[in-house]
């Protein structure tokens, strides 16, 4: 499956931004989906994940209450709505697809469990 992330850009502190990740070449509804991010000089970290049916979601503590992950299986797209952004949210954001169907956090929260990755989209929050 191919993943194409979009929606990144520049935003001021306290602003909002919405990311999209469109999937092609596979049956989208079979995949758990995740968003990860990597800031300069830091390791890639988990941001949010959603199981294949959309009924289970997970968030990193740093984004809980500010970010929302959701998906539209009819449109083969997963979204990440980001609100109340801070400079600490500046990073390249990646979407990823996990094929096992496991809805546990141990799977969807771990980057090593994902099978397919998008190319990343830059989010810059200016103060």
């Amino acid at each position: 499956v191919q993943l194409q992330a979009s929606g990144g850009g520049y935003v001021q502190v306290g602003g909002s931004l919405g990311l999209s990740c469109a999937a092609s070449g596979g049956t989208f509804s079979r995949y758990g989906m995740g968003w990860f991010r990597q800031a300069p000089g830091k390791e890639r970290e988990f941001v949010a994940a959603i199981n294949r049916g959309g009924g289970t979601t997970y968030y990193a503590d740093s984004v809980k209450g500010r970010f929302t992950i959701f998906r539209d299986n009819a449109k083969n797209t997963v979204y990440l709505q980001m609100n109340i952004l801070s400079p600490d949210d500046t990073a390249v954001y990646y979407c990823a697809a996990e094929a096992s169907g496991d809805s546990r956090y141990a799977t969807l929260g771990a980057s090593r469990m994902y099978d397919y990755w998008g190319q990343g989209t830059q989010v810059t929050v200016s103060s």
Side-chain angles (χ1 to χ4, degrees):
V1 62
Q2 292 79 45
L3 303 174
Q4 181 71 42
S6 61
Y10 290 87
V11 63
Q12 291 186 335
V13 169
S16 299
L17 208 57
L19 305 182
S20 300
C21 175
S24 61
T27 304
F28 180 69
S29 60
R30 291 183 179 178
Y31 296 95
M33 299 297 296
W35 286 96
F36 294 80
R37 67 186 181 186
Q38 188 166 18
K42 295 186 177 181
E43 295 186 351
R44 187 174 298 185
E45 66 174 359
F46 169 74
V47 175
I50 188 167
N51 73 333
R52 55 186 179 180
T56 299
T57 57
Y58 301 105
Y59 296 92
D61 287 344
S62 59
V63 308
K64 203 170 293 184
R66 301 187 298 121
F67 290 13
T68 302
I69 186 172
F70 56 102
R71 66 190 295 162
D72 186 338
N73 286 348
K75 295 183 177 180
N76 294 342
T77 303
V78 62
Y79 305 90
L80 184 69
Q81 178 62 39
M82 305 183 294
N83 299 326
I84 318 176
L85 287 161
S86 77
D88 289 341
D89 297 314
T90 295
V92 177
Y93 283 71
Y94 299 89
C95 60
E98 197 283 326
S100 75
D102 188 353
S103 293
R104 296 175 299 167
Y105 175 73
T107 295
L108 295 181
S111 61
R112 63 181 174 83
M113 301 301 291
Y114 283 78
D115 302 283
Y116 304 98
W117 291 82
Q119 84 290 359
T121 184
Q122 175 71 48
V123 172
T124 303
V125 185
S126 62
S127 56

